[in-house]
Amino acid sequence: MTWQPFEIAPESPGQSLADYLRANPVDDLLVREKALVFRGFGVTEQTLEGPMELLLPNRLAYVHGNSPRTKVGQNVYTSTEYPAEFTISMHNELSYAAGWPSRLLFFCARAAATGGATPVVDGVRWLESLDPGVRDDFAKGVRYTQNLHGGMGLGKSWQDTFETDSRPEVEAFLDASAAEWEWRADGGIRVSQVRPATTRHPVTGAEVWFNQADQWHPASLGDDTAAMLAEIMPPEDLPQSVAFADGSPIPPGHVIQARDRGLENAVDVDWRTGDVLLIDNILVGHGRRPFTGSRRVLVAMSD
C-alpha cells in the first residue's frame, strides 16, 4: 500500500485550525503518519500565527540555508524561489548542516494556476529504493563545500546565509557546527563540513536517506550548465559542491539515481488555498513540482 500524508478536516463547521489543535494535539500522530495535511479550516495569512504557535513550539530562523527565500514574518519565509519552470528534487531541510529542524510547516496562501504541488517522500522507502552499491558507497559520509561571497558573486552571500553582517557571529556558528572554514581575500568565506548520508529518527529508530548530495553535485545542473561552469572555475570554487567524506568524487550516476528515485517514490500534495502541511523533517523529504501562475507558499520550521 502506498504511503500517503494523513488528511485532517474540521470536526464541526467553521472550526478554526487553532481550536482543533488545542483539542487534538498531533505530536504522536505526526510521528506515526509522518506528514499531516490540514484542509478546510479556512486558514489565511492573517490567521496563520495561531496554528504555527501550536505546531511549531520553537520556531527557527533559516540560518545556513542554501535556498533563495524572502523572510516575511517572525521566522516565516517564502518557500524556495527558484524559477517556476524547474522541479526541485527531494530533500530534507538542512540535512547538510550540523543541526536541522525536526518539523516543517507549509502554508498555501495562494495556489498556482497549474502544477506547483509539494511532493513528499518516505525517507525509509527512498533509502531502500537505492541500489546496494550506492548505499554502500555513501556509508563513508559526505563532504559539503560552500563558497559564499561577500556581497557580489554567484550564489548566496554569507550575510544572507547566516542572517548577520558579523564575522565573529559566523565564526562562532561554524565552530559550534564542527565545520572547517576560511575567509577569502575577496571578502567571501569557504565552508566545508562532513556529514553522514543517512540518519535515524530519534523516536522510531528508522534509518532514512538524509543528505543533499544530488542538489550540491554539478551533475544535477545538467550537462550543458555543468560543462559551462567547469570552463570558468574549478569544482572547489563553485558556490556549492560535494564529495565523499574522504574527498573522493561522487560518481554522477550515484546522485542522479538518488534524485530520480526520490522523485519516483514521492506523493504529491496538490495545494488548495488555505491548506497547511506539517511534516516530520527526518522521516519525510520534500520538493516542488513546476507551476504556472502566481503561487505563494510560506514555510516555517521548529526543532
Side-chain angles (χ1 to χ4, degrees):
M1 184 176 179
T2 302
W3 169 80
Q4 295 274 350
F6 187 76
E7 188 170 321
I8 297 173
E11 296 173 317
S12 58
Q15 183 181 36
S16 73
L17 181 52
D19 286 344
Y20 175 89
L21 294 169
R22 291 187 190 100
N24 302 277
V26 297
D27 291 355
D28 293 341
L29 182 66
L30 178 62
V31 172
R32 185 172 73 245
E33 299 293 342
K34 306 180 183 182
L36 308 175
V37 177
F38 301 94
R39 177 164 285 162
F41 288 93
V43 180
T44 67
E45 213 162 322
Q46 291 69 40
T47 63
L48 179 61
E49 183 64 27
M52 281 198 300
E53 288 182 353
L54 296 165
L55 293 171
L56 305 177
N58 184 28
R59 211 147 73 220
L60 302 173
Y62 186 60
V63 175
H64 206 178
N66 68 332
S67 177
R69 304 176 187 272
T70 300
K71 195 169 186 176
V72 297
Q74 182 61 41
N75 292 343
V76 181
Y77 302 83
T78 57
S79 62
T80 303
E81 294 175 356
Y82 284 116
E85 64 269 25
F86 294 124
T87 295
I88 297 173
S89 61
M90 310 308 295
H91 61 285
N92 304 80
E93 203 64 46
L94 292 168
S95 60
Y96 54 84
W100 48 79
S102 63
R103 57 176 65 175
L104 303 180
L105 179 149
F106 298 87
F107 166 66
C108 181
R110 183 171 56 248
T114 64
T118 292
V120 289
V121 63
D122 182 331
V124 173
R125 182 168 184 175
W126 190 3
L127 175 62
E128 292 175 345
S129 75
L130 301 176
D131 293 351
V134 171
R135 296 199 301 269
D136 290 345
D137 286 350
F138 270 99
K140 65 185 72 173
V142 177
R143 177 178 292 274
Y144 300 97
T145 300
Q146 289 173 292
N147 290 292
L148 303 169
H149 62 77
M152 184 176 296
L154 287 174
K156 292 182 72 175
S157 70
W158 62 263
Q159 295 94 332
D160 285 343
T161 298
F162 297 103
E163 294 192 0
T164 181
D165 292 323
S166 167
R167 287 192 176 201
E169 285 184 23
V170 172
E171 294 168 5
F173 178 90
L174 292 173
D175 286 342
S177 303
E180 302 168 17
W181 55 269
E182 61 174 326
W183 292 104
R184 314 289 287 176
D186 61 4
I189 187 172
R190 176 175 289 170
V191 179
S192 182
Q193 49 194 335
V194 173
R195 303 287 179 242
T198 68
T199 195
R200 289 189 179 274
H201 192 271
V203 176
T204 70
E207 185 179 15
V208 297
W209 185 247
F210 198 77
N211 68 81
Q212 286 175 236
D214 72 290
Q215 294 189 335
W216 288 57
H217 198 287
S220 67
L221 300 173
D223 293 343
D224 292 342
T225 303
M228 179 187 69
L229 286 174
E231 290 181 1
I232 62 175
M233 63 178 62
E236 62 269 18
D237 288 339
L238 291 170
Q240 57 187 39
S241 59
V242 66
F244 287 126
D246 61 5
S248 59
I250 299 175
H254 281 31
V255 294
I256 296 303
Q257 181 182 127
R259 180 197 68 190
D260 291 351
R261 294 195 182 167
L263 286 165
E264 288 166 6
N265 285 284
V267 176
D268 283 353
V269 175
D270 293 309
W271 290 112
R272 301 176 192 172
T273 298
D275 284 353
V276 172
L277 167 67
L278 184 70
I279 68 172
D280 185 305
N281 185 48
I282 297 175
L283 294 174
V284 172
H286 66 280
R288 190 201 70 188
R289 302 292 187 188
F291 65 93
T292 64
S294 183
R295 177 186 188 266
R296 181 173 173 84
V297 173
L298 305 182
V299 63
M301 56 197 77
S302 175
D303 59 11

